[in-house]
Amino acid sequence: MDELTKTIASRGDLAHLALFLWASGASALLAWTLRELARANQRFEDFVKEIAALNRLFSSDRSRERSFGQPPYQRKD
C-alpha cells in the first residue's frame, strides 16, 4: 500500500487518492448501516412473532373459559 501511495503522490494524483479513500469509507459505512438495519428488522420481527404467540395463547385461554360457563371477556369502552 505504501508503494501505491508513493506512486500516486509522485504523479500528482492526491485528489484521486483522497476521493478513493472517502468513497471507500462511505461505502463501508453504508454496508455496515444496512447490515445493522437488517439485524434490527429481524429482531423486531422476532418480537412481533412472540407477541402474536402470546396473543394466541391468551385468546385460547379465554375460549376455554367460555366453554366452562364463565362469562366472556368484556372490553371496557
Side-chain angles (χ1 to χ4, degrees):
M1 184 71 179
D2 189 40
E3 187 176 319
L4 178 64
T5 305
K6 286 179 184 178
T7 303
I8 291 174
S10 67
R11 296 177 74 195
D13 289 338
L14 289 177
H16 287 106
L17 177 61
L19 181 61
F20 171 74
L21 292 174
W22 175 81
S24 298
S27 296
L29 184 60
L30 176 65
W32 177 80
T33 302
L34 289 175
R35 186 175 60 238
E36 290 299 316
L37 185 60
R39 288 178 183 170
N41 190 27
Q42 183 62 45
R43 286 190 301 267
F44 182 71
E45 186 175 337
D46 293 343
F47 172 74
V48 169
K49 285 180 183 178
E50 289 297 323
I51 294 297
L54 284 173
N55 283 337
R56 283 192 302 274
L57 177 68
F58 290 136
S59 68
S60 65
D61 285 346
R62 272 186 263 160
S63 64
R64 278 184 273 174
E65 288 175 0
R66 289 180 188 156
S67 65
F68 291 112
Q70 295 179 355
Y73 175 75
Q74 296 176 353
R75 289 176 47 184
K76 294 181 181 179
D77 292 333

